[in-house]
Structure formats: structure tokens, C-alpha cells
Amino acid sequence: MKKILLFLLAFSLLFAVTGCKDEGIRILAISGWSDQHANIVRDELETAGHTVTVYAVEDSVYKKRIKSGDYEIAVGGWNTITGNPDYAMTPLFHSKGDDNNGINDPELDQLLERASVELEEDYINTYQQAEQLLLDKGYILPLYANYNYQAYNNNVLKESSIRKPVSRGMALESLEYNDSTLNNTRPLNIRLWFSATQMGSFDPIKKNDGTNWGLNTNQYIRLVNLTDDDSITKEASLSLNYGINEVKDQYYFVIKNDTYFATLDANKNVIQSDLVTAEDVKFSLERAKNRESVKGHGTSSLHKYIEEVSIITQEDYDELSAELKATLAEGITGFTVADTGVGSGDNYQVVRVTSTQPFPQILNYLAHPSAGIVKKSIVGDDQDAYGTIDDTVTDAGKIYASGPYIVTDKDDLALTFTKNPYYLTSETENQAKIKTIVSKYVPDNTAAKNALESGELDFAIKIAAKDFEDIQNIADLTIDQVLSNRVFHLSFNLTSDSFKELEDRLAIAKVINYQNYIAVIEDGRGLPIASPVTPLLRGKEGYTIPTLAE
């Protein structure tokens, strides 16, 4: 009798873990992106005795099935495109997160809320505690962080001009030929990786994907930027200086008066329009935070911490602390606040962004392409229509660019960027070096490698890991392995009967070996993680990657 009871107990545990359906454990993946990962998960679980069915579906179907709970394990990932830990953790793991998989843990909420208002020296420990909790409670199974790969023809491009950004989009203005006399005459052929069908919009707030980084990072200026290693900088931004009040809920930006919008005439020549002003900044950020400002708004969640955007008066400025005023006026002779109109000479407009709570990480969101500055008088006429990608997009007056480049031509094979000579006119070091850049649509990574070898491309991002060594052996090509904030992990459906219990989730964790994924998918190049925040904290003083207790 005891043996029968033990057998029934073992069978019931196996049944609980494998689910109540004939498919057993249903693994959900995104076709063409995480299906390789799902196949390894299936093999590992089947070796451990589980019945597994993999569903590799399109991205839109994947998201619908996640929301409906139609899965047991989801193979997903996250790329922290803003470079800050809040973006890495809150959407996925806070109970009110936009991409939450059913986690509702008050202790975890408290940690994430506390970390969001802390500066780096304090939030490192807080996020580390949150990672440990995620592991101990089996909310996710971390796999690995991968690298970005970019390659270029070293006979054509100057090595020192090739940037290696972790989060931000490639800054095209930095690229320069070895022979500088070619900068104004030879079009540079590049691959920003996205295809014609993947292109989102020339309106920076409508999409939050690679097209936004590739296109709108270069077409619109922002109040601040990210450095290549994810620190906040005012370099090549619209802010001459910026400062934060003591409470850390008000952010002040002194607006430069040397940057103009560019547009196109009937012959597609780049022509000068009006100065970029504080009114344009206020308008751009208010529409960025307003989910209803345009149909299909894709980035409002990034700016939900903005409560108010205002242009401050001289009276407002006089009430600031002496320390903050000194920060804003640093290096400016005869600094005067221009209450209205356009600043000129030593008169500058100052914009104040007030956050819904003390939140220093708001600066990272202001560095995202969706916080790019658009022209109020143009976009305001028909916000939904602005930036629509169609055959007329490069007609005269369709686009007004405030960044280093403006798109001047588009067809099914390529997108042409032309230098905006009216961008940061007094900062020649930050202006675009190459006049014309042609981004060719090469959606396949292997095709990108072949195009580099043939000379069709001069520069390409999104090279496959498996091609790394081959390109290294080609004398005319240089390939860079760049750190990435992109991670892959497994998530459980916590509403499923199969994985409501911690012991069932931890049982799966014991058979998942992250090294298998790095070896097979990344050709042996990858880094262990505890959560999506690991790449942002790795190497910082006081941080150790948490691990699951044996």
C-alpha cells in the first residue's frame, strides 16, 4: 500500500509540473528571435522526463498569449535601451509593470520603488536585493547576456570614429572617412539592420524599437544624451547646462541658441527653418508623455514620470538655490533668463521638467529617441499624420529635423540621410562629418557579412556571433564585440496550475544550464546574469551577481 501511495504522489507531482493538457509544458517563443532558445529548453526538460510542446509565434501573437496566460513557460528577453535599472526591472517585475507576467509581490514592489528614487551609490545594493528575491522565489530563470557585433571596412572608415554604444543608437555624426576629402563627396553605405517592412515612423514617439534608435536618434536632438557606456551627458545635446533641485523632482535645462530645424525644398535640398526653442521642447515632451497625443503612441510609458514641463521666468530663476543657479550658469558670461521669445547672445531660455516623484533616472528617459525635439508649429497641425512613412515622406516640408541628419530619400532598397548643417552651428566638433549616408535594407545577418566582404557595405551593425571569427580573419574588415544590455531569460505563468508553487519552479531551474545557450546560440560568447539589470550593474563597486542557493 505504501508503494502505491508513493507512486501516486510521484505521479501527481509530475502531473502538476507538466500541466493538465496533452501538450505538457507549453513553451512560448518568438519566431526568428527566441525559438532557438525554446528548442534547447525543450531538450533539457524532455531529458528530465517532462512532456513539452514549443509554440514559436510572431511577436504580436506572443504578446497576446502572454496576456491571456496561454502558456506555462515563456522564452523572452529584455534590452535596456535607456541604460537605467528602472527600465530594466519595473516594467517586468513590479505588480503594476506593463510587461508583468503575473508577479504580485509587495516586498519586490517596495525594493523597486525604493531603488527608483536612489542615486547609483545606493541603488546598486537595492537592485541586488531585488535580483536575489527574483531568484529565490523562482519568478524568472536567467539565461545570459549577449554582445552586439558591428563590422566595418578599415580601408574606408577611420577607426577612432567608430563608436561602440551599449544602449543608445549609433551616432552617425561621428563617422568619418580615413580620407577626409571624401566626407562631402562619397556616400557612406551602411546597414542599421532594419528592413523596409520593419520601419516604424519618423515621428519619434510612435515606435520603441530598433527603427527608433537608428532613425530618430540621428534626426532629432534631445535635452541630454547617453554616453557609449550609459552615463548621462550634455555633449551634443540641446542643453548648454542642466541641474537638479535638492529634492530631485525638478530638472532644469538651459537651452542652446545655436540649433535650427532643417527641412527639404521641392528639389530635396536641405534648407534652414526656425531656431529650436523652449516652446518646441515643452511641446515635444508634453506630447511624449500623453498617451492620447497620437494614434498608436508607442513610448508614453517611458515618460510617465513627467508631471509638468514649463519655461521658467526670471522670477522662477531668482528663487532657485545659489548652488543650482551656479550650475546652470557655469561657463556662461552674463547669463540672463529669457522669459519669452528666443534666447540670443547671453539670453537663454530655461526649461523645467517636474517629475511625479523624486526620480533621478528620468534623465535616462529624456535621452531616449522618443524625447527628441520636434517642431511645434508643424507637428501641432496634424499630430497623427506627422512622420508617417509613405512615398511622400521626403517631399518638401514633410519632416523638420533638429538632429545631425535629416532623411532626404527613401525607397524599398535604402534610406538616405543628409547632413543638417544647421545643427549645433557653433559646435563644429559635434556636427556630422560625412554629408551623405545611405542605410541599405539588409535584413539578414549573413547577407550583411557578404555585403561587407564584397564592398557593397562600408559599415554594418547586427553581425551574427557565428561570423565573428570569419570576419576577424579578413584583413580589410574590423569587427567589434560590444557589451550589450540585452538579456534572455525564462518566465513562468504564475497563474498556471503547473507553476503556482515555488518548488515546481525551482525544480525546472535545476535542469536549465545557461552555458548550453551561450555555446549553441552565441558561439560561446555570452555572460551569465541574475536578471535584466545584471549588465547595468556588472563591474560596479559593491555588486556581486546573485545566485540561486543550492
Side-chain angles (χ1 to χ4, degrees), residues 56-70:
V57 297
E58 295 298 319
D59 186 39
S60 59
V61 177
Y62 176 90
K63 291 177 180 177
K64 289 178 182 177
R65 291 190 67 161
I66 291 290
K67 289 186 180 298
S68 67
D70 194 16

Side-chain angles (χ1 to χ4, degrees), residues 145-191:
N146 68 356
Y147 290 94
N148 289 324
Y149 300 95
Q150 58 188 37
Y152 62 95
N153 188 319
N154 51 50
N155 290 326
V156 174
L157 283 169
K158 185 181 293 185
E159 180 181 0
S160 60
S161 76
I162 308 293
R163 297 178 63 165
K164 303 174 184 178
V166 175
S167 296
R168 66 161 292 165
M170 178 58 64
L172 298 182
E173 70 266 28
S174 300
L175 298 173
E176 188 173 4
Y177 287 119
N178 286 322
D179 180 358
S180 60
T181 64
L182 299 176
N183 286 344
N184 288 322
T185 59
R186 182 190 187 277
L188 180 71
N189 295 308
I190 69 171
R191 181 220 193 193

Side-chain angles (χ1 to χ4, degrees), residues 275-294:
L275 189 73
V276 180
T277 70
E279 285 289 345
D280 297 306
V281 173
K282 183 175 186 296
F283 170 78
S284 299
L285 297 185
E286 285 178 342
R287 75 188 292 263
K289 80 183 185 75
N290 179 8
R291 186 183 294 271
E292 305 303 321
S293 60
V294 294

